[in-house]
């Protein structure tokens, strides 16, 4: 292991009347790719600011190799006093060279002459990335770098970081981003900081093992409260089983919906029974929408039924918000017509997240100061309901102003999901949510009895939740694909393969995607057929390997006796888990193709 170039020893920070964390040791090597994981409020952003020397600690010693350049990309870059984005990017004593900044800005698709006061969240985020990347850092500290970015920009950042010769530490809720890029993991958990020499792909297996060890130790010590704490923090094993069941159900729903996808970018019910017709929530026929000379949506026909989960994807400016507004009745189409079910009760959770008064308490927000809340028509005690959204009972009377951004997002979800509804509209719902809350949101969507419309750039989230993806390329074409983001991506690449690189004009000049052509009967290649036959056995083998290595890790003395063996087993479990996940996804894709042949 290379000597660290940045480290903290015995780190401690006081927050409010107590310690946020204390006694932490952290080191960053010259080529580390570290994922920093933890619940909202655990102190991840504070730790980043400490590493970046932006704030002082209450305890601990920071050491850094002389000459090491550490750059922090904050969630909310301060642009006070900047007339344009260029003023922000090129301002200050540590400003990057202008030509380097302009080159990155061109690739990332941001106009630096844009007025800072009028810039959107995505434009401000891109400007901050330009400034950080152009400063030639040795260590990059990235706090939610993908927030407010479209998929094209996220993929460009992934490629840039893949070539980056320095080290980086990243906080992100984007599982795909973390899995692709990271090789080590830091886990902030209940005031402790654990490190594993595995990337985020092995994080779930690692945490399962940690919690399993804690459970065994709790049982030995007869400390049953530990079990309750374990459930509250993650409930890993139970949630994993539920998620596997939902994945199977999701694949079945996608296969059923694939048979309903018609030609020319349409999705229709092919059966004409009264029962099927009664399930129609939104019925759009040949709708279009243009602004000036630019067609945003062109000749789209789409029938949305009860329990559909519709994902809307595309570059910023491609028309996602316009399509969402058309499908919810907020905008009228220029041509065509949209009919809505008469009984629609809608919940909308948008990017701005409804403001909650900081002086009110959680009890006030959820139960008007009382102890009971109506949840979808069912009376529940507010403490029990809060527990479902990963809140501890003791926070019931905490003021909104004391909550972290992620906790406020979780409270908003709890408040909105309690309302009676049959249409759930989510506009970038994953911003500012930690991974546990994302798991929770996926569970809630999986259990939701109505229809869901989701606009998101979170690829993994879409793959885990939606049955149909509406892909926009900026030309007016809407590609209707049964499945998630990966299914749309395959369709897009097959229809219009392009060399990835500059994304400056992604929203307006991307090559058109074939207009939702019906998949029909897909002929399996020899390799597809062979994979379909052998992957189940491969999955069983990987499961057995994971169970075998986890059994070896169950020895509570292993880490003390043989730390190298422990690390190798953790790495092997992480790799096997990643391989198993990939094999399962591949087999499920092939199963859908086989279903299509029938």
């Amino acid at each position: 292991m290379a000597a660290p170039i940045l480290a903290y020893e015995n780190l401690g920070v006081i927050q409010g009347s107590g310690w946020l964390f204390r006694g932490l040791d952290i080191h960053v090597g010259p080529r580390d790719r570290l994922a920093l994981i933890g619940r909202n409020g655990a102190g991840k952003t504070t730790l980043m600011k400490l590493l970046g020397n932006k704030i002082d600690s209450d305890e601990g010693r920071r050491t850094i190799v002389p000459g090491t350049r550490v750059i922090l990309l904050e969630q909310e870059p301060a642009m006070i006093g900047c007339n344009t984005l260029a003023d922000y990017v090129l301002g200050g004593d540590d400003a990057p060279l202008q030509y380097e900044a302009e080159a990155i800005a061109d690739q990332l698709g941001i106009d630096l002459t844009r007025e800072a006061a009028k810039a959107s969240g995505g434009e401000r985020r891109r400007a901050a990335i330009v400034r950080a990347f152009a400063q030639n850092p040795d260590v990059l500290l990235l706090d939610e770098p993908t927030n407010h970015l479209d998929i094209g920009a996220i993929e460009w950042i992934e490629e840039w970081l893949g070539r980056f010769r320095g080290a980086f530490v990243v906080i992100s809720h984007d599982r795909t981003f973390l899995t692709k890029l990271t090789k080590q993991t830091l886990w902030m958990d209940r005031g402790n900081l654990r490190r594993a020499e595995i990337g985020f792909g092995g994080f779930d297996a690692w945490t399962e093992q940690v919690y399993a060890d804690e459970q065994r130790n709790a049982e030995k010590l007869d400390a049953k409260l530990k079990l309750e704490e374990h459930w509250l923090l993650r409930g890993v094993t139970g949630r994993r089983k539920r998620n596997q069941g939902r994945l199977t159900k999701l694949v079945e729903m996608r296969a059923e919906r694939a048979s309903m996808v018609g030609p020319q970018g349409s999705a229709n019910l092919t059966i004409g029974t009264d029962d099927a017709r009664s399930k129609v929530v939104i019925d759009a026929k040949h709708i279009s929408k243009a602004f000036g000379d630019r067609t945003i949506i062109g000749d789209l026909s789409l029938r949305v039924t009860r329990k559909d989960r519709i994902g809307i994807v595309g570059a910023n400016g491609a028309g996602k918000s316009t399509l969402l507004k058309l499908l919810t009745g907020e905008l009228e189409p220029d041509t065509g017509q949209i009919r809505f079910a008469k009984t629609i009760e809608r919940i909308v959770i948008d990017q701005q997240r409804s403001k909650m008064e900081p002086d009110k308490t959680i009890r006030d927000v959820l139960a008007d100061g009382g102890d009971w809340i109506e949840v979808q028509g069912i009376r529940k005690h507010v403490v029990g309901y809060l527990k479902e959204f990963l809140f501890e009972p003791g926070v019931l009377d905490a003021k909104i102003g004391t909550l972290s951004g992620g906790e406020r997002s979780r409270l908003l979800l709890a408040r909105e999901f309690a309302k009676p509804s049959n249409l759930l509209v989510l506009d970038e719902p994953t911003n500012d949510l930690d991974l546990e809350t994302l798991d929770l949101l996926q569970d809630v969507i999986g259990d939701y009895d109505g229809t869901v419309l989701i606009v998101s750039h979170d690829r993994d989230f879409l793959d885990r939740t939606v049955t149909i993806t509406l892909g926009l390329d900026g030309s007016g074409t809407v590609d209707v694909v049964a499945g998630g983001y990966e299914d749309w991506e395959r369709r897009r690449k097959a229809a219009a393969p392009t060399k990835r690189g500059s994304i400056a004009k992604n929203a307006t000049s991307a090559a058109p995607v074939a207009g939702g052509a019906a998949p029909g009967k897909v002929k399996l290649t020899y390799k597809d057929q062979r994979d379909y036959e052998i992957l189940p056995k491969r999955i069983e083998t990987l499961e057995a390997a994971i169970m075998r290595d986890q059994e070896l890790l169950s020895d509570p003395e292993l880490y003390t006796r043989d730390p190298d063996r422990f690390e190798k087993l953790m790495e092997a479990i992480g790799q096997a888990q990643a391989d198993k996940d990939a094999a399962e996804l591949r087999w499920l894709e092939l199963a859908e193709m086989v279903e299509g042949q029938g």
Side-chain angles (χ1 to χ4, degrees):
M1 182 181 294
I5 57 175
L6 173 64
Y8 248 113
E9 297 176 73
N10 198 33
L11 176 62
V13 171
I14 294 174
Q15 187 177 82
S17 60
W19 292 92
L20 176 62
F21 47 72
R22 194 177 191 187
L24 304 188
D25 294 325
I26 180 173
H27 63 272
V28 180
R31 290 281 291 168
D32 279 357
R33 274 92 172 87
L34 284 155
L36 178 55
I37 307 300
R39 296 181 67 193
N40 285 334
K44 303 187 298 296
T45 293
T46 299
L47 180 57
M48 284 288 218
K49 290 180 178 179
L50 288 162
L51 290 172
N53 209 29
K54 300 296 183 182
I55 59 174
D56 295 324
S57 64
D58 295 294
E59 283 184 352
R61 182 166 67 95
R62 181 180 187 266
T63 58
I64 185 170
V65 172
T68 300
R69 192 170 180 82
V70 181
I71 300 300
L72 171 63
L73 174 68
E74 298 185 77
Q75 282 196 52
E76 300 294 336
M79 297 188 180
I80 298 173
C82 299
N83 293 323
T84 67
L85 295 179
D87 293 337
Y88 165 75
V89 171
L90 301 173
D93 296 334
D94 58 348
L97 295 174
Q98 182 172 347
Y99 79 90
E100 290 189 2
E102 289 177 347
I104 293 176
D106 182 62
Q107 295 175 57
L108 198 49
I110 178 65
D111 179 8
L112 296 181
T113 65
R114 173 86 164 150
E115 289 185 46
K118 296 181 179 179
S120 67
E123 290 171 326
R124 294 165 69 89
R125 168 63 44 167
R126 290 177 192 234
I129 291 169
V130 169
R131 179 179 172 87
F133 286 10
Q135 290 184 82
N136 296 315
D138 299 296
V139 179
L140 260 174
L141 307 174
L142 305 168
D143 194 351
E144 292 291 357
T146 66
N147 267 6
H148 306 295
L149 297 183
D150 60 22
I151 291 170
I154 293 170
E155 291 176 339
W156 182 88
I157 293 172
E158 288 172 349
E159 291 185 357
W160 193 94
L161 290 173
R163 300 189 303 268
F164 180 52
R165 299 184 65 82
F168 63 77
V169 184
V170 57
I171 300 170
S172 179
H173 63 265
D174 188 326
R175 294 173 184 269
T176 304
F177 184 86
L178 291 174
T179 301
K180 281 186 176 182
L181 292 173
T182 61
K183 296 182 178 179
Q184 299 88 19
T185 303
L186 296 170
W187 180 25
M188 298 194 74
D189 177 44
R190 291 161 286 176
N192 298 317
L193 184 69
R194 296 178 171 91
R195 175 170 174 143
E197 298 304 309
I198 55 173
F200 180 75
F203 176 72
D204 283 338
W206 175 38
T207 55
E208 278 193 44
Q209 187 59 50
V210 170
Y211 283 133
D213 291 343
E214 286 189 359
Q215 182 170 334
R216 278 191 294 271
N217 292 335
E219 289 169 347
K220 289 178 182 178
L221 297 172
D222 199 29
K224 298 300 182 183
L225 287 177
K226 284 287 184 182
L227 301 181
E228 175 65 14
E229 186 178 49
H230 165 213
W231 179 91
L232 180 65
L233 284 166
R234 190 169 179 86
V236 177
T237 304
R239 179 157 289 157
R240 178 69 52 74
K241 289 178 180 177
R242 291 198 302 277
N243 284 344
Q244 287 300 318
R246 287 202 177 93
L247 178 60
T248 302
K249 180 181 177 182
L250 183 63
V251 171
E252 292 172 354
M253 292 171 70
R254 286 177 177 174
E256 178 183 356
R257 211 57 175 90
S259 66
M260 303 177 188
V261 176
Q264 304 303 318
S266 64
N268 293 287
L269 286 170
T270 55
I271 52 178
T273 65
D274 291 337
D275 180 62
R277 294 182 188 281
S278 69
K279 294 180 180 180
V280 176
V281 178
I282 304 167
D283 193 4
K285 294 182 179 179
H286 302 291
I287 63 169
S288 66
K289 188 69 180 179
F291 293 102
D293 295 332
R294 185 184 170 203
T295 298
I296 305 297
I297 307 296
D299 193 24
L300 170 67
S301 294
L302 178 72
R303 184 172 287 178
V304 179
T305 64
R306 186 170 67 85
K307 291 195 175 182
D308 273 347
R309 280 88 172 94
I310 309 291
I312 303 175
V313 299
N316 284 342
K320 299 187 302 296
S321 294
T322 298
L323 179 55
L324 187 66
K325 290 176 180 178
L326 288 168
L327 295 179
T328 55
E330 190 175 338
L331 274 180
E332 289 286 337
D334 295 334
T335 62
Q337 62 178 358
I338 304 180
R339 293 181 179 177
F340 300 94
K342 295 179 180 179
T343 57
I344 285 182
E345 293 184 88
R346 182 183 299 119
I347 291 176
V348 179
I349 300 178
D350 60 20
Q351 296 184 52
Q352 303 304 317
R353 306 281 168 86
S354 304
K355 300 293 183 183
M356 291 180 284
E357 296 179 34
D359 290 334
K360 285 194 172 184
T361 66
I362 292 177
R363 187 196 299 270
D364 293 332
V365 169
L366 285 184
D368 293 326
D371 292 325
W372 298 89
I373 181 174
E374 288 283 329
V375 180
Q376 299 285 327
I378 300 173
R379 195 165 183 256
K380 292 187 177 184
H381 195 281
V382 68
V383 171
Y385 186 59
L386 275 173
K387 192 175 180 181
E388 294 176 21
F389 285 82
L390 306 180
F391 283 100
E392 297 180 21
V395 304
L396 182 58
D397 293 309
K399 290 190 175 182
I400 304 304
T402 65
L403 303 179
S404 70
E407 288 169 328
R408 292 188 195 189
S409 293
R410 220 183 311 146
L411 180 60
L412 174 64
L413 292 175
R415 185 186 72 183
E416 295 302 308
F417 279 121
K419 299 175 182 176
S421 71
N422 50 28
L423 177 61
L424 177 61
V425 182
L426 302 171
D427 191 356
E428 290 297 344
T430 65
N431 283 346
D432 302 320
L433 298 185
D434 56 26
L435 294 171
E436 284 84 357
T437 308
L438 278 176
D439 285 345
L440 172 68
L441 182 56
Q442 290 165 12
D443 284 351
V444 171
I445 291 173
D447 290 335
Y448 187 65
D449 196 44
T451 303
V452 185
L453 301 178
I454 305 172
V455 173
S456 181
H457 296 126
D458 190 321
R459 296 156 291 181
D460 180 84
F461 181 78
L462 291 169
D463 281 334
R464 290 169 183 255
T465 53
V466 304
T467 56
I468 289 180
T469 297
L470 307 180
L472 289 79
D473 64 6
S475 71
T477 298
V478 180
D479 201 20
V480 181
V481 179
Y485 171 81
E486 287 296 331
D487 299 285
W488 173 68
E489 178 73 358
R490 282 195 302 274
R491 173 77 66 83
R492 184 174 64 148
K493 287 180 178 177
T498 57
K499 182 177 180 181
R500 205 176 281 162
S502 173
I503 59 168
K505 300 178 182 178
N506 194 27
T508 57
S509 63
V513 178
K521 293 186 177 181
V522 180
K523 181 176 175 61
L524 267 66
T525 65
Y526 172 79
K527 183 179 184 304
D528 289 339
Q529 186 64 46
R530 179 166 174 75
D531 285 353
Y532 180 68
E533 293 170 355
I534 68 173
L535 279 175
K537 182 64 175 176
R538 169 69 172 157
I539 292 167
E540 288 181 9
T541 301
L542 289 167
E543 286 176 341
I546 292 169
M547 291 179 64
R548 181 191 66 236
D549 289 345
Q550 286 179 338
E551 182 64 27
L552 292 172
L553 281 176
S554 66
D555 178 0
E557 306 299 328
L558 177 61
Y559 184 80
T560 304
R561 185 176 67 251
D562 192 349
D564 289 341
R565 174 65 170 158
F566 180 89
E567 294 295 347
K568 287 179 180 178
L569 284 171
M570 287 302 310
E571 185 174 351
I573 290 172
Q575 184 61 56
Q577 186 65 51
D579 290 346
K580 175 175 169 286
D581 290 344
E584 286 178 340
L585 284 174
R586 169 68 172 156
W587 188 85
L588 290 170
E589 293 164 1
L590 292 170
E592 289 183 18
M593 294 169 66
V594 171
E595 181 74 18
Q597 286 185 322

